[in-house]
Structures are given as C-alpha cells and as structure tokens.
Amino acid sequence: QVQLVESGGGLVQAGGSLRLSCAASRSIFSINAMGWYRQAPGKQRELVAAITSGGSTNYADSVKGRFTISRDNAKNTVYLQMNSLKPEDTAVYYCHALHLWDDYWGQGTQVTVSS
C-alpha cells in the first residue's frame, strides 16, 4: 500500500510558477514509476509527467519545456515544478504511483491559472 498526499496547488497568474509536492507513505526508491496527472472540468484525466525508479522522465507535449518532474528518494517525495503557467493548465492535479501491478492515487490539488 502507498498513500500519497499532494500539496502546493493554488491560484497564480498566467506566466507564474508553482511547485507541487507529493509525499508518499513509504520509501519511493523501489516504486516503479511516479507521476502527475491532471483533470480539467469536463475533460478526461491526462498524464502530465512521469518519472521511473531509474530516473527516466516523460512529459505531455503541452508541458514540455515548462514543467519539470523530479524525485527525492530520501524524502519520499516527488515534485512537479511548473513554470510559465497558462490558463489552460488549470485543473486538479493528481499524484500517481505504479508499484508492481497496482495503481495508487492522491486526493488531488487544485491549480488555477488566471489570465
């Protein structure tokens, strides 16, 4: 079992930055992959960024060059640094962990970008 708790969401103006954090209840060293998804009103949940246990990263085309995912194994935490935010980035952001064959989700944190 893995419990995930997100923090760091909020309201920011377009062009601003936010850093989301996802704290896990156990060591993330051996977790296969962790990532961030988002869901805007009326839209499907989509992958934003992911990072494997080996450190490989993957980003949605819409956030490449603006968002950076990272992990701190010592703190059992995954981060999403979001720069140059746009109104279309507004969504609930969810932390996700894939461990063995199980999926784990956080409760989500709201990010609102005003124009």
Side-chain angles (χ1 to χ4, degrees), residues 38-60:
R38 67 186 180 188
Q39 188 167 20
K43 295 188 177 182
Q44 289 189 331
R45 192 172 296 189
E46 62 175 357
L47 174 68
V48 176
I51 185 166
T52 68
S53 57
S56 298
T57 58
N58 183 41
Y59 295 93

mmCIF file of all heavy atoms in Angstrom, residues 38-60:
data_model
loop_
_atom_site.group_PDB
_atom_site.id
_atom_site.type_symbol
_atom_site.label_atom_id
_atom_site.label_comp_id
_atom_site.label_asym_id
_atom_site.label_seq_id
_atom_site.Cartn_x
_atom_site.Cartn_y
_atom_site.Cartn_z
ATOM 1 N N ARG A 38 -3.554 15.298 -14.525
ATOM 2 C CA ARG A 38 -4.466 16.412 -14.253
ATOM 3 C C ARG A 38 -5.796 16.177 -14.940
ATOM 4 O O ARG A 38 -5.880 15.475 -15.946
ATOM 5 C CB ARG A 38 -3.862 17.738 -14.699
ATOM 6 C CG ARG A 38 -3.698 17.899 -16.199
ATOM 7 C CD ARG A 38 -2.957 19.202 -16.505
ATOM 8 N NE ARG A 38 -2.771 19.398 -17.941
ATOM 9 C CZ ARG A 38 -2.034 20.376 -18.470
ATOM 10 N NH1 ARG A 38 -1.402 21.233 -17.667
ATOM 11 N NH2 ARG A 38 -1.923 20.495 -19.775
ATOM 12 N N GLN A 39 -6.805 16.786 -14.343
ATOM 13 C CA GLN A 39 -8.151 16.680 -14.908
ATOM 14 C C GLN A 39 -8.831 18.028 -14.815
ATOM 15 O O GLN A 39 -9.042 18.553 -13.722
ATOM 16 C CB GLN A 39 -8.968 15.618 -14.191
ATOM 17 C CG GLN A 39 -10.305 15.334 -14.843
ATOM 18 C CD GLN A 39 -10.950 14.065 -14.300
ATOM 19 O OE1 GLN A 39 -10.614 13.586 -13.225
ATOM 20 N NE2 GLN A 39 -11.886 13.513 -15.064
ATOM 21 N N ALA A 40 -9.138 18.573 -15.966
ATOM 22 C CA ALA A 40 -9.872 19.831 -16.045
ATOM 23 C C ALA A 40 -11.368 19.527 -16.114
ATOM 24 O O ALA A 40 -11.771 18.436 -16.524
ATOM 25 C CB ALA A 40 -9.420 20.616 -17.268
ATOM 26 N N PRO A 41 -12.212 20.488 -15.743
ATOM 27 C CA PRO A 41 -13.659 20.254 -15.786
ATOM 28 C C PRO A 41 -14.122 19.827 -17.172
ATOM 29 O O PRO A 41 -13.764 20.444 -18.174
ATOM 30 C CB PRO A 41 -14.237 21.618 -15.406
ATOM 31 C CG PRO A 41 -13.176 22.261 -14.591
ATOM 32 C CD PRO A 41 -11.881 21.805 -15.181
ATOM 33 N N GLY A 42 -14.867 18.747 -17.216
ATOM 34 C CA GLY A 42 -15.410 18.267 -18.479
ATOM 35 C C GLY A 42 -14.429 17.518 -19.358
ATOM 36 O O GLY A 42 -14.768 17.153 -20.493
ATOM 37 N N LYS A 43 -13.222 17.306 -18.854
ATOM 38 C CA LYS A 43 -12.205 16.621 -19.650
ATOM 39 C C LYS A 43 -11.733 15.356 -18.944
ATOM 40 O O LYS A 43 -11.906 15.188 -17.742
ATOM 41 C CB LYS A 43 -11.019 17.547 -19.912
ATOM 42 C CG LYS A 43 -11.360 18.746 -20.772
ATOM 43 C CD LYS A 43 -10.113 19.509 -21.160
ATOM 44 C CE LYS A 43 -10.432 20.665 -22.089
ATOM 45 N NZ LYS A 43 -9.204 21.406 -22.510
ATOM 46 N N GLN A 44 -11.111 14.488 -19.719
ATOM 47 C CA GLN A 44 -10.559 13.261 -19.142
ATOM 48 C C GLN A 44 -9.253 13.549 -18.409
ATOM 49 O O GLN A 44 -8.552 14.521 -18.727
ATOM 50 C CB GLN A 44 -10.316 12.232 -20.257
ATOM 51 C CG GLN A 44 -11.579 11.634 -20.841
ATOM 52 C CD GLN A 44 -11.276 10.475 -21.770
ATOM 53 O OE1 GLN A 44 -10.219 10.423 -22.402
ATOM 54 N NE2 GLN A 44 -12.190 9.520 -21.858
ATOM 55 N N ARG A 45 -8.951 12.694 -17.457
ATOM 56 C CA ARG A 45 -7.673 12.808 -16.762
ATOM 57 C C ARG A 45 -6.554 12.477 -17.742
ATOM 58 O O ARG A 45 -6.635 11.518 -18.508
ATOM 59 C CB ARG A 45 -7.641 11.841 -15.568
ATOM 60 C CG ARG A 45 -6.495 12.068 -14.625
ATOM 61 C CD ARG A 45 -6.618 11.211 -13.379
ATOM 62 N NE ARG A 45 -7.795 11.554 -12.590
ATOM 63 C CZ ARG A 45 -8.022 11.065 -11.369
ATOM 64 N NH1 ARG A 45 -7.158 10.209 -10.823
ATOM 65 N NH2 ARG A 45 -9.112 11.417 -10.708
ATOM 66 N N GLU A 46 -5.490 13.290 -17.707
ATOM 67 C CA GLU A 46 -4.396 13.100 -18.644
ATOM 68 C C GLU A 46 -3.064 13.105 -17.909
ATOM 69 O O GLU A 46 -2.902 13.765 -16.882
ATOM 70 C CB GLU A 46 -4.385 14.209 -19.699
ATOM 71 C CG GLU A 46 -4.175 15.597 -19.155
ATOM 72 C CD GLU A 46 -4.060 16.657 -20.236
ATOM 73 O OE1 GLU A 46 -4.089 16.328 -21.444
ATOM 74 O OE2 GLU A 46 -3.902 17.841 -19.871
ATOM 75 N N LEU A 47 -2.111 12.377 -18.485
ATOM 76 C CA LEU A 47 -0.771 12.345 -17.925
ATOM 77 C C LEU A 47 -0.081 13.682 -18.197
ATOM 78 O O LEU A 47 -0.089 14.187 -19.319
ATOM 79 C CB LEU A 47 0.036 11.213 -18.555
ATOM 80 C CG LEU A 47 1.511 11.155 -18.148
ATOM 81 C CD1 LEU A 47 1.657 10.782 -16.673
ATOM 82 C CD2 LEU A 47 2.259 10.153 -19.028
ATOM 83 N N VAL A 48 0.544 14.218 -17.152
ATOM 84 C CA VAL A 48 1.322 15.445 -17.297
ATOM 85 C C VAL A 48 2.812 15.105 -17.371
ATOM 86 O O VAL A 48 3.522 15.548 -18.266
ATOM 87 C CB VAL A 48 1.067 16.388 -16.110
ATOM 88 C CG1 VAL A 48 1.950 17.630 -16.204
ATOM 89 C CG2 VAL A 48 -0.410 16.778 -16.057
ATOM 90 N N ALA A 49 3.283 14.330 -16.407
ATOM 91 C CA ALA A 49 4.703 13.970 -16.350
ATOM 92 C C ALA A 49 4.861 12.732 -15.494
ATOM 93 O O ALA A 49 4.071 12.499 -14.575
ATOM 94 C CB ALA A 49 5.535 15.117 -15.772
ATOM 95 N N ALA A 50 5.897 11.954 -15.801
ATOM 96 C CA ALA A 50 6.169 10.747 -15.040
ATOM 97 C C ALA A 50 7.669 10.561 -14.912
ATOM 98 O O ALA A 50 8.442 11.037 -15.752
ATOM 99 C CB ALA A 50 5.536 9.528 -15.706
ATOM 100 N N ILE A 51 8.058 9.845 -13.852
ATOM 101 C CA ILE A 51 9.469 9.556 -13.625
ATOM 102 C C ILE A 51 9.576 8.131 -13.100
ATOM 103 O O ILE A 51 8.819 7.713 -12.225
ATOM 104 C CB ILE A 51 10.098 10.579 -12.651
ATOM 105 C CG1 ILE A 51 11.604 10.354 -12.518
ATOM 106 C CG2 ILE A 51 9.397 10.559 -11.295
ATOM 107 C CD1 ILE A 51 12.327 11.523 -11.842
ATOM 108 N N THR A 52 10.515 7.379 -13.668
ATOM 109 C CA THR A 52 10.684 5.988 -13.257
ATOM 110 C C THR A 52 11.661 5.880 -12.089
ATOM 111 O O THR A 52 12.337 6.858 -11.729
ATOM 112 C CB THR A 52 11.210 5.144 -14.422
ATOM 113 O OG1 THR A 52 12.559 5.553 -14.716
ATOM 114 C CG2 THR A 52 10.350 5.302 -15.660
ATOM 115 N N SER A 53 11.763 4.685 -11.560
ATOM 116 C CA SER A 53 12.712 4.465 -10.465
ATOM 117 C C SER A 53 14.149 4.693 -10.921
ATOM 118 O O SER A 53 15.015 5.031 -10.113
ATOM 119 C CB SER A 53 12.555 3.045 -9.915
ATOM 120 O OG SER A 53 12.731 2.086 -10.950
ATOM 121 N N GLY A 54 14.374 4.549 -12.229
ATOM 122 C CA GLY A 54 15.712 4.788 -12.765
ATOM 123 C C GLY A 54 15.981 6.232 -13.128
ATOM 124 O O GLY A 54 17.086 6.576 -13.541
ATOM 125 N N GLY A 55 14.945 7.061 -12.989
ATOM 126 C CA GLY A 55 15.128 8.485 -13.253
ATOM 127 C C GLY A 55 14.718 8.946 -14.647
ATOM 128 O O GLY A 55 14.822 10.131 -14.965
ATOM 129 N N SER A 56 14.229 8.039 -15.473
ATOM 130 C CA SER A 56 13.749 8.455 -16.792
ATOM 131 C C SER A 56 12.461 9.243 -16.639
ATOM 132 O O SER A 56 11.623 8.925 -15.796
ATOM 133 C CB SER A 56 13.506 7.227 -17.670
ATOM 134 O OG SER A 56 14.711 6.520 -17.879
ATOM 135 N N THR A 57 12.320 10.256 -17.487
ATOM 136 C CA THR A 57 11.142 11.124 -17.402
ATOM 137 C C THR A 57 10.373 11.139 -18.715
ATOM 138 O O THR A 57 10.922 10.860 -19.785
ATOM 139 C CB THR A 57 11.536 12.551 -17.034
ATOM 140 O OG1 THR A 57 12.465 13.052 -18.011
ATOM 141 C CG2 THR A 57 12.183 12.610 -15.665
ATOM 142 N N ASN A 58 9.107 11.484 -18.588
ATOM 143 C CA ASN A 58 8.230 11.570 -19.743
ATOM 144 C C ASN A 58 7.261 12.715 -19.494
ATOM 145 O O ASN A 58 6.750 12.869 -18.380
ATOM 146 C CB ASN A 58 7.457 10.260 -19.928
ATOM 147 C CG ASN A 58 6.584 10.274 -21.160
ATOM 148 O OD1 ASN A 58 6.989 10.754 -22.206
ATOM 149 N ND2 ASN A 58 5.364 9.759 -21.024
ATOM 150 N N TYR A 59 7.015 13.517 -20.536
ATOM 151 C CA TYR A 59 6.154 14.698 -20.389
ATOM 152 C C TYR A 59 5.106 14.739 -21.494
ATOM 153 O O TYR A 59 5.362 14.327 -22.629
ATOM 154 C CB TYR A 59 6.984 15.980 -20.469
ATOM 155 C CG TYR A 59 7.962 16.164 -19.347
ATOM 156 C CD1 TYR A 59 9.280 15.729 -19.480
ATOM 157 C CD2 TYR A 59 7.581 16.777 -18.152
ATOM 158 C CE1 TYR A 59 10.195 15.897 -18.449
ATOM 159 C CE2 TYR A 59 8.480 16.950 -17.117
ATOM 160 C CZ TYR A 59 9.785 16.506 -17.276
ATOM 161 O OH TYR A 59 10.689 16.679 -16.248
ATOM 162 N N ALA A 60 3.970 15.288 -21.149
ATOM 163 C CA ALA A 60 2.983 15.599 -22.170
ATOM 164 C C ALA A 60 3.539 16.702 -23.053
ATOM 165 O O ALA A 60 4.264 17.592 -22.578
ATOM 166 C CB ALA A 60 1.680 16.058 -21.522
#
